[in-house]
Amino acid sequence: MYSLIRKNSSFCQQRAALSSKCNLPDRLVTSSSFCDTVIIVQDIDVEKLRILFIKSVIILNNGFPEDDNIVNIAGSDKVEGSLPQEEESATLFSWLLGNINTFLYIYVFFWVAKRIIVATKDRWCAYVMHLCTRGVFVELEEVKKAFFESLSTVVSKDAELRNKNAIRILEIGPGTGVNFAFYPEGSHLVVVDPNPCYKDYYYDNIKKFSHIHAEEFHVTTGEDMSMVPDNSVDVVVVTLVLCTVQDMDAVLNEVKRVLAPGGKFYFMEHITEFDLENHSFRRKLQHIFTHYIPVWPFIFDGCQLDRDPLPNIEKAGFSKVDAQRYYAPVPHIVFDPERPNLKGVATK
């Protein structure tokens, strides 16, 4: 049996009254020190005790529904004179009000954490890329080596560079400099990157490649390369960059502007899954990790897994576009969403 009685006098008087009324020994009568309710427990059943606890909370917060001194709920899942829904809503509101400080602390914690993450994003994004690219992934290196091999056939439109058998390359988003090893002897390199925190990694890495003459490092986006003169570079290179830009068409217009007549645009990008008959699940994962659980944009500086830049490149006004969709090797199954790739060369 479970019974609840409203506390109308001192605990000693109530315990005596209850013991006499219910013929219970004193040891089975327990008083709550934090509310105005005495709980009598006899023949304990765990499930009924759980029900009693829930109903006790309602009664403690709202009072008894009737004026009776005792409300019996033994063997029943319902409290006689149960509270109306409006009073239960008031109880929930009271609980929320009582925990407002906890909610406030949680809100402040996440607000501060967000501000710190945003304020340091450039720094930790650069560090993450440094960690991801400091090792050598042989299979991908072989793919890149074959792709950039034709750079050695490019002839500069600048007479001075041509006499030195050199070319000028503009790389958009070089990061830590993962493409240095594939540039031909005598390359003059200009780079554009919106993240200034890549500078240290870039200059530390380029020291290892004596065949490259480093020129300017412009901290700006690919959409605005106004500091690079028109028709001034022989080659523009982007690798895993178009997935992050805000306006792809604006970037491509800038690429065409800075390229000398007959200049080459080399692009190598991961793209949205193109073989839906065999890999439709990968397309769904790409969409989820980009929009619903945006871990890729968060960790990799705005990277979008479900883009395909080829239609934009084809309509950008290049005189010729040679492109190929393929599946690139990845260093770990975690990077499987980046396996679909696009590589090609467009001519101004």
Side-chain angles (χ1 to χ4, degrees):
M1 176 187 72
Y2 306 154
S3 297
L4 302 178
I5 184 167
R6 183 170 297 155
K7 199 172 183 180
N8 296 317
S9 59
S10 69
F11 169 64
C12 293
Q13 293 172 331
Q14 289 178 347
R15 183 169 62 182
L18 289 171
S19 298
S20 174
K21 181 176 181 64
C22 301
N23 194 27
L24 296 173
D26 286 350
R27 64 184 178 83
L28 291 180
V29 180
T30 305
S31 174
S32 169
S33 61
F34 58 90
C35 59
D36 293 335
T37 301
V38 177
I39 303 176
I40 306 171
V41 181
Q42 188 178 24
D43 299 331
I44 293 291
D45 179 271
V46 175
E47 178 60 22
K48 289 183 178 181
L49 185 60
R50 183 185 68 81
I51 298 172
L52 174 64
F53 174 76
I54 297 172
K55 294 174 180 177
S56 298
V57 171
I58 299 175
I59 293 174
L60 291 174
N61 281 276
N62 296 274
F64 282 82
E66 298 177 358
D67 291 335
D68 296 335
N69 284 336
I70 298 179
V71 179
N72 293 314
I73 58 173
S76 173
D77 288 345
K78 296 182 178 179
V79 178
E80 297 177 9
S82 59
L83 298 175
Q85 185 175 358
E86 292 79 4
E87 293 191 23
E88 291 184 9
S89 299
T91 302
L92 177 61
F93 177 77
S94 299
W95 179 83
L96 292 173
L97 193 63
N99 289 276
I100 191 169
N101 285 342
T102 301
F103 294 133
L104 182 61
Y105 294 147
I106 293 173
Y107 173 80
V108 170
F109 171 79
F110 281 105
W111 182 82
V112 171
K114 181 180 178 182
R115 294 296 296 268
I116 293 174
I117 290 172
V118 171
T120 60
K121 184 178 180 181
D122 284 350
R123 185 175 302 171
W124 60 257
C125 277
Y127 181 69
V128 167
M129 290 305 298
H130 167 66
L131 293 180
C132 292
T133 58
R134 64 181 178 179
V136 176
F137 180 44
V138 177
E139 291 87 345
L140 183 58
E141 296 293 296
E142 292 298 322
V143 173
K144 281 189 170 185
K145 182 178 179 180
F147 175 63
F148 285 115
E149 191 173 12
S150 61
L151 278 175
S152 60
T153 65
V154 175
V155 178
S156 179
K157 299 302 186 288
D158 184 295
E160 184 178 347
L161 291 178
R162 189 166 59 247
N163 291 335
K164 297 178 182 178
N165 197 27
I167 60 174
R168 178 170 286 112
I169 300 173
L170 167 66
E171 183 169 359
I172 303 173
T176 58
V178 294
N179 295 324
F180 292 163
F182 310 108
Y183 293 156
E185 186 75 30
S187 296
H188 287 238
L189 184 60
V190 181
V191 299
V192 166
D193 200 299
N195 188 345
C197 295
Y198 278 118
K199 269 189 174 183
D200 290 340
Y201 299 113
Y202 170 84
Y203 284 115
D204 284 344
N205 195 21
I206 205 167
K207 294 175 184 177
K208 305 171 188 175
F209 301 92
S210 58
H211 68 284
I212 297 177
H213 176 71
E215 295 186 354
E216 297 90 353
F217 187 116
H218 299 294
V219 180
T220 185
T221 63
E223 291 91 339
D224 179 19
M225 300 188 292
S226 56
M227 66 291 300
V228 182
D230 297 358
N231 308 311
S232 61
V233 299
D234 303 299
V235 174
V236 174
V237 173
V238 295
T239 58
L240 307 182
V241 168
L242 296 179
C243 59
T244 65
V245 299
Q246 299 296 316
D247 188 339
M248 194 180 306
D249 291 332
V251 173
L252 295 173
N253 286 334
E254 282 290 271
V255 168
K256 284 199 317 172
R257 180 185 65 80
V258 302
L259 273 175
K264 304 291 184 180
F265 172 44
Y266 283 71
F267 52 91
M268 178 180 280
E269 300 286 330
H270 66 74
I271 60 173
T272 187
E273 176 55 58
F274 50 85
D275 183 2
L276 296 183
E277 184 176 347
N278 296 309
H279 302 291
S280 59
F281 182 67
R282 182 183 286 136
R283 168 74 74 86
K284 294 176 182 177
L285 282 180
Q286 290 175 326
H287 196 66
I288 290 171
F289 289 150
T290 299
H291 302 286
Y292 297 104
I293 311 176
V295 291
W296 243 260
F298 178 75
I299 297 175
F300 299 111
D301 208 7
C303 173
Q304 309 284 309
L305 287 168
D306 55 355
R307 285 187 181 179
D308 185 358
L310 185 57
N312 300 76
I313 295 172
E314 289 177 333
K315 70 180 183 181
F318 291 98
S319 62
K320 183 180 180 182
V321 177
D322 294 316
Q324 174 190 1
R325 292 187 177 98
Y326 69 105
Y327 289 106
V330 293
H332 193 279
I333 193 172
V334 170
F335 296 98
D336 185 75
E338 292 187 358
R339 192 180 292 274
N341 265 237
L342 172 74
K343 63 182 178 181
V345 179
T347 305
K348 179 175 175 178

